Amino acid sequence: MLLKSKFKLATAIGIVLSMLSLLVHLFLANYSAGGITNYSMHMDDVLPFGQRPRPRRLWGPLIPLDHLHPFAKPSKSYAAPSKHNGFIYAKIYGGFEKIQSSICDLVAVARLLNATLVIPEIQATTRAKGISPKFKSFSYLYDEDHFIHALSSDVVIVHGLPKDLREARKRIKFPTVSPRNSATPEYYIKEVLPRLVKSKVLGIIVNGGNCLQSILPSSLEEFQKLRCRVAFHALRLRPQIQALGSQIVGRLRASGRPYVAYHPGLLRDTLAFHGCAELFQDIHTELIQHRRNQMIKRGTVKEQLTVDSVARKMAGLCPLMPEEVGLLLQALGYPPTTIIFLAGSETFGGQRMLIPLRAMFANLVDRTSLCSQRELLDLVGPEDPLTPDLPQPPPPKSEKQLTEEWKRAGPRPRPLPPPPARPFYAHEKEGWYGWIGENDTEPDASLIEFRRQAHRLLWDALDYFVSVEADAFFPGFHNDGSGWPDYSNLVMGHRLYKTPSGITYRPDRKIIAALFEDVNDHRYHPPRNWTIAAREHLNRSASVEGIVSSAMLSRPVSFLAHPLPECSCRTPKSPGVQPVKDSNGRFLFGGEEECPDWMARSLATASARNNEPQNEDYEDELPEDGSRSDTQESDRTDSNKSSEQDEEMDPDD
């Protein structure tokens, strides 16, 4: 009897402890889901982490560019337009990069036409029914009041049309124009201005960005500077986005280490436009081909549906795969503990595409791993719930209805009824995967998908902020030649304007593809000469040579991708810089004006105040083939290893 009592007591205690453990786990799960838990980067799981030196070759600054400084103020004072020709309102369709570029062009157009600009509408938000009512279209991304105030000396900007004109606009009383890509100033003067003067109100619909040509005549040089003032000063992200972006940057640098921002550029539209479907497998290939077929029907693509994707990649027309980017970063010497921030709201192929890169660099993080769910939801704002777009089961039938159907079913014997339809699950109907197995036509976007498109604008804006502030930036795809504004190009142009001496790689994908073709069978163990060739190319791409080469491709498409020389000034301490011009005699580099005296004095004072000894750069010798040390793996687990060991990874180790 005593034994049974002890057994019951032990059982009761075990049950109580199990219940307490379950309650604790439920509490912790609810606590973290509420967004109170902070970010986490498990850096110590890879190598001992802490303050380390910053090799200049990996993190900069680039000495040949330290004489450049951002300066977008007018060269000569000019007053705001005195003649008022009417109002211009605009609707902008597209992603974050197209919105950013289009707004800069619209401000320049309003200045050119002496018109009052109404705050543009971002259609990705206005079409997304149910987004937070706290924000209007433009204010979903940007600070409206700052935008109006910052450009008060250049263009008259208002929140909306006067009430009487607003009512007339609803009745479609005013003409609208849809300028072609890279429209010339003459088009606006000769075609648009007369219609504006006649109607006093004109609508502009921008579909693909770049509603004004990138390179303007020399007589309109001040309009180029105006674009820089819009993009880099007036278009300030709304305070909530800036605050969360600053927190992410602080968390990335909390360990005392710099970080690399990486934008893969793996977008479904991009892959479809350039014909890169065969680089993927199974359903992803079909999804890309479906989108390419749509582009062919709309006239966006004027080629065959099926093309040789391998040949396109060898020509540099397809994005670099994350695996290739990881191998290139290893060739540069970045250690496996390097923090890599993954930018962009879409990576076609999902997390499966990032597995090789994550295996090489365990500290691959994005906004979801650095922010809590609560922080991201606060950025979105309160939204009304939407009913899921899922097939609804038929209503249940009464017994009387079933009996009547049985009587009308015809003579006996009857065949067995078909089995009930299998239930549909949410993951089968959401996103890209729901329709591909059922029909050949992609359905129209649902309200939920429109809302997701609006959310992607927020995530792209947030990642844009973090990428501009990064210590180094590596694009997976830029200068694609499509004529559309490119996300990576805008980031690279902003970094060139804000911090010219920062490390920004501009790889030539054609050269990179040839390099990987040479070591296709042993790319994880390349020979020493391959590593040297890859390292030299990438280092050149981050230097003046890479800036000039990239400018020849990017500047004719988007001025904001290379805002030199109009939007920078130089200090006199640049004796070795040689000006570079394009085929038309325009400066690509080295034609900047000298900084004004007041700015030069302030820069000299700041330089003297922050004149701290720099970490010496070194060019380590790559070991000969076969000289790999077998003891490195054991050294990496030694918690007492020297700080120099992790300073830079030798790509041949």
Side-chain angles (χ1 to χ4, degrees), residues 521-585:
D521 296 331
H522 49 279
R523 56 172 54 189
Y524 276 86
H525 301 283
R528 178 173 178 268
N529 58 350
W530 184 93
T531 301
I532 294 175
R535 173 181 289 190
E536 288 179 349
H537 170 71
L538 292 172
N539 285 334
R540 283 196 306 269
S541 75
S543 64
V544 174
E545 180 181 345
I547 292 175
V548 174
S549 300
S550 180
M552 293 180 180
L553 298 174
S554 61
R555 185 177 169 86
V557 177
S558 174
F559 169 73
L560 297 178
H562 184 79
L564 298 179
E566 294 89 346
C567 299
S568 292
C569 66
R570 57 181 172 84
T571 51
K573 60 170 187 176
S574 53
V577 177
Q578 296 295 327
V580 180
K581 296 183 179 181
D582 61 9
S583 57
N584 296 320

Side-chain angles (χ1 to χ4, degrees), residues 308-546:
D308 188 349
S309 298
V310 177
R312 293 296 178 94
K313 184 174 180 63
M314 294 303 299
L317 296 176
C318 294
L320 297 174
M321 291 298 178
E323 175 192 19
E324 297 171 333
V325 173
L327 294 172
L328 292 174
L329 292 177
Q330 282 187 345
L332 281 166
Y334 285 95
T337 54
T338 302
I339 305 171
I340 301 178
F341 178 79
L342 183 70
S345 60
E346 176 188 353
T347 300
F348 188 80
Q351 293 294 320
R352 180 176 66 88
M353 303 299 300
L354 302 173
I355 291 175
L357 179 61
R358 198 179 299 276
M360 289 180 267
F361 296 93
N363 292 322
L364 177 65
V365 296
D366 59 12
R367 82 192 79 84
T368 60
S369 56
L370 294 169
C371 302
S372 64
Q373 186 179 4
R374 176 71 56 81
E375 289 173 325
L376 296 177
L377 290 178
D378 289 343
L379 194 66
V380 170
E383 295 180 332
D384 297 330
L386 294 177
T387 56
D389 185 24
L390 299 176
Q392 300 296 327
K397 298 179 180 180
S398 64
E399 185 176 353
K400 182 179 179 181
Q401 291 174 321
L402 293 173
T403 303
E404 291 178 354
E405 288 181 1
W406 175 263
K407 292 178 180 179
R408 295 193 306 267
R412 277 71 170 176
R414 301 176 185 140
L416 292 174
R422 70 174 183 83
F424 286 96
Y425 299 97
H427 70 274
E428 296 178 306
K429 300 301 294 183
E430 291 182 357
W432 298 329
Y433 302 94
W435 55 272
I436 193 75
E438 300 176 6
N439 52 60
D440 296 330
T441 304
E442 186 170 358
D444 296 332
S446 62
L447 291 180
I448 293 180
E449 183 59 28
F450 278 130
R451 177 179 285 186
R452 290 198 187 105
Q453 291 177 9
H455 291 176
R456 291 189 193 109
L457 294 180
L458 291 178
W459 311 144
D460 281 337
L462 185 65
D463 293 352
Y464 182 88
F465 182 93
V466 179
S467 299
V468 170
E469 297 292 330
D471 299 275
F473 179 74
F474 197 104
F477 195 61
H478 70 294
N479 293 338
D480 61 348
S482 65
W484 300 334
D486 179 71
Y487 186 94
S488 291
N489 267 346
L490 289 186
V491 172
M492 294 158 70
H494 199 153
R495 290 173 59 85
L496 183 60
Y497 173 79
K498 184 178 180 180
T499 53
S501 59
I503 295 292
T504 301
Y505 296 101
R506 301 169 179 86
D508 187 329
R509 293 186 302 278
K510 188 175 182 179
I511 296 177
I512 296 298
L515 285 172
F516 279 112
E517 184 70 14
D518 293 339
V519 292
N520 198 31
D521 296 331
H522 49 279
R523 56 172 54 189
Y524 276 86
H525 301 283
R528 178 173 178 268
N529 58 350
W530 184 93
T531 301
I532 294 175
R535 173 181 289 190
E536 288 179 349
H537 170 71
L538 292 172
N539 285 334
R540 283 196 306 269
S541 75
S543 64
V544 174
E545 180 181 345

Side-chain angles (χ1 to χ4, degrees), residues 174-328:
F174 305 123
T176 59
V177 296
S178 182
R180 64 184 183 277
N181 189 22
S182 299
T184 62
E186 289 76 14
Y187 164 78
Y188 288 99
I189 295 295
K190 296 179 180 179
E191 301 291 336
V192 178
L193 182 57
R195 303 179 67 179
L196 174 63
V197 173
K198 181 179 179 180
S199 62
K200 295 301 180 184
V201 179
L202 182 74
I204 298 180
I205 300 175
V206 186
N207 280 307
N210 287 351
C211 60
L212 181 64
Q213 71 181 39
S214 173
I215 302 177
L216 298 176
S218 56
S219 59
L220 298 178
E221 179 182 347
E222 290 299 328
F223 285 78
Q224 303 287 50
K225 293 189 176 184
L226 175 58
R227 281 168 159 172
C228 287
R229 290 198 293 277
V230 178
F232 308 137
H233 297 281
L235 275 181
R236 179 188 294 175
L237 298 173
R238 62 178 165 94
Q240 297 89 339
I241 299 177
Q242 287 198 97
L244 186 55
S246 299
Q247 291 181 18
I248 292 177
V249 173
R251 292 166 183 175
L252 286 166
R253 292 178 175 154
S255 61
R257 285 199 169 193
Y259 70 94
V260 180
Y262 161 55
H263 183 254
L266 292 173
L267 308 178
R268 187 182 174 198
D269 287 345
T270 301
L271 297 167
F273 181 85
H274 292 286
C276 305
E278 295 176 6
L279 302 180
F280 294 80
Q281 297 177 353
D282 305 328
I283 191 172
H284 295 93
T285 300
E286 295 185 44
L287 289 167
I288 295 173
Q289 290 296 78
H290 272 83
R291 182 58 56 85
R292 183 173 173 85
N293 192 30
Q294 292 176 350
M295 291 181 172
I296 293 174
K297 291 179 179 179
R298 292 196 300 262
T300 307
V301 175
K302 304 183 185 302
E303 298 175 329
Q304 298 295 326
L305 176 63
T306 302
V307 294
D308 188 349
S309 298
V310 177
R312 293 296 178 94
K313 184 174 180 63
M314 294 303 299
L317 296 176
C318 294
L320 297 174
M321 291 298 178
E323 175 192 19
E324 297 171 333
V325 173
L327 294 172
L328 292 174

Side-chain angles (χ1 to χ4, degrees), residues 122-138:
I122 301 171
Q123 290 300 298
T125 60
T126 55
R127 292 170 61 188
K129 305 300 181 183
I131 68 169
S132 176
K134 289 174 56 179
F135 313 107
K136 295 181 181 178
S137 177
F138 186 88

Side-chain angles (χ1 to χ4, degrees), residues 69-92:
H69 303 279
F71 187 72
K73 291 186 177 181
S75 299
K76 51 186 177 182
S77 60
Y78 65 102
S82 57
K83 184 180 178 182
H84 177 68
N85 289 327
F87 293 90
I88 290 178
Y89 66 89
K91 296 180 180 180
I92 304 174

